[in-house]
Amino acid sequence: MMMIEQKYQQLQHIVQDMESVLVAFSGGVDSTLVAKVAYDILGDQAQAVTAWSEHYTEFNEQEFDELVKFLGIQHHTLKYTEFAIPHFQKNPPERCYFCKHYLFERFREFADTYNAQYVVDGTNCDDSDDFRPGMKALQELGIRSPLKEAGLTKDEVRILSQRLHLPTWNKPSMPCLATRVPYGDEITPDVLRMIHEAETFLGRFSFAQLRVRHHGNLARIEILRDDMVRVLNEHLDEQIVARLKEIGYTYVTLDLQGFRSGSLNEVLK
């Protein structure tokens, strides 16, 4: 098995061989490492692009601008709305495929404009372990995933990011808000608003991991087991119930299985 140092060298070789790239940059731990390595090796032949939507409420513009400035990479923004993407609102199990295909087609247009030979993303080896229809879209469009090609796992990405003093090294994964809605349930701006407001409120309690799964008028909260103890011992439950009912939920539940990434995919297995 390759050591992390060998994988990092392999990552550098992969990027070097590409000669010019456009990084699909979300500001998360994975794409930040890709952008860092690409800019360090390729200089101005590496650029980044971010898709931004008014419904992507996790986006912190000031924090994002500081990160881009820290990296030094030339950065572009693509503004869009998810509700213009076919099938997004109906929310089928393949929703991620349609979104990825739409966005990365736009990214390829950016790459052509700025003479980048490849569009690259932050997919790592662990991303193959779950149901991810968006991966098919990336393959169809010829998108490269340097972290995955180098054999790097999520934990290894964090280790390397810490060694490189990247501020994102311990940043929690934050997939789009649509992943909180069960397949087949319609996604609307109001649904995304409720989820965002609920997670923003719960974020004040500094839970290590957090998701609010939206089941109509019921909010199913996923946090780590240690944080469940906190909720009860510190009497946070009354505050949480009161605020989430203000947001629009009738029922507020705590999932006893705790936080797990992609829990809504369990119905597909």
Side-chain angles (χ1 to χ4, degrees):
M1 183 179 295
M2 292 177 63
M3 301 292 290
I4 188 171
E5 291 79 9
Q6 294 174 299
K7 292 182 180 182
Y8 181 54
Q9 291 177 3
Q10 179 68 10
L11 173 63
Q12 293 174 309
H13 290 319
I14 290 169
V15 171
Q16 180 71 58
D17 289 344
M18 290 186 193
E19 297 185 354
S20 61
V21 300
L22 179 72
V23 182
F25 183 65
S26 68
V29 58
D30 299 310
S31 64
T32 298
L33 178 59
V34 174
K36 165 68 173 174
V37 173
Y39 184 69
D40 283 353
I41 293 176
L42 301 176
D44 291 340
Q45 293 303 307
Q47 300 185 47
V49 61
T50 300
W52 180 84
S53 165
E54 62 183 302
H55 303 292
Y56 186 61
T57 43
E58 304 98 315
F59 186 85
N60 184 315
E61 188 171 0
Q62 180 179 350
E63 179 181 304
F64 201 88
D65 289 344
E66 290 174 356
L67 179 58
V68 170
K69 184 177 180 180
F70 173 83
L71 293 171
I73 194 168
Q74 185 174 348
H75 179 256
H76 312 280
T77 301
L78 168 67
K79 293 187 177 181
Y80 77 108
T81 172
E82 294 93 336
F83 295 98
I85 300 174
H87 310 292
F88 173 82
Q89 193 160 354
K90 292 183 178 180
N91 192 25
E94 303 80 14
R95 180 200 66 245
C96 189
Y97 168 83
F98 297 112
C99 287
K100 290 282 189 184
H101 205 285
Y102 175 89
L103 290 174
F104 278 85
E105 277 191 322
R106 308 287 88 73
F107 291 165
R108 287 189 63 181
E109 293 170 2
F110 267 81
D112 291 341
T113 299
Y114 296 104
N115 299 314
Q117 295 187 50
Y118 295 96
V119 176
V120 299
D121 80 332
T123 300
N124 64 64
C125 280
D126 290 342
D127 291 329
S128 302
D129 295 339
D130 196 7
F131 173 68
R132 294 180 183 271
M135 302 284 283
K136 180 182 177 182
L138 301 182
Q139 293 170 359
E140 290 177 353
L141 294 170
I143 308 305
R144 299 278 299 270
S145 302
L147 301 178
K148 185 177 180 181
E149 292 178 26
L152 286 161
T153 66
K154 188 74 169 188
D155 287 343
E156 290 171 333
V157 168
R158 292 191 184 280
I159 291 170
L160 288 174
S161 297
Q162 187 176 26
R163 290 181 183 177
L164 294 170
H165 307 293
L166 298 178
T168 52
W169 75 270
N170 63 345
K171 186 175 182 179
S173 298
M174 286 297 292
C176 75
L177 295 180
T179 61
R180 286 32 161 209
V181 184
Y183 297 121
D185 289 2
E186 184 180 15
I187 299 173
T188 67
D190 191 54
V191 166
L192 298 183
R193 175 197 61 79
M194 290 174 67
I195 298 168
H196 168 62
E197 290 186 9
E199 291 194 353
T200 298
F201 175 75
L202 289 167
R204 299 177 183 178
F205 302 112
S206 300
F207 297 132
Q209 292 283 4
L210 164 67
R211 297 287 187 274
V212 175
R213 309 296 186 184
H214 180 96
H215 300 267
N217 62 355
L218 182 148
R220 177 168 60 86
I221 300 170
E222 293 181 14
I223 53 179
L224 298 180
R225 290 181 178 272
D226 289 345
D227 285 327
M228 292 184 197
V229 176
R230 277 188 55 211
V231 168
L232 299 177
N233 287 349
E234 298 177 18
H235 305 290
L236 305 179
D237 51 328
E238 293 183 4
Q239 298 178 55
I240 292 171
V241 170
R243 177 62 185 128
L244 266 61
K245 286 193 172 186
E246 288 178 357
I247 289 169
Y249 291 105
T250 304
Y251 305 103
V252 181
T253 66
L254 188 61
D255 191 322
L256 296 182
Q257 285 186 264
F259 168 82
R260 54 217 187 272
S261 180
S263 68
L264 290 176
N265 292 335
E266 291 169 6
V267 299
L268 303 175
K269 298 177 181 179

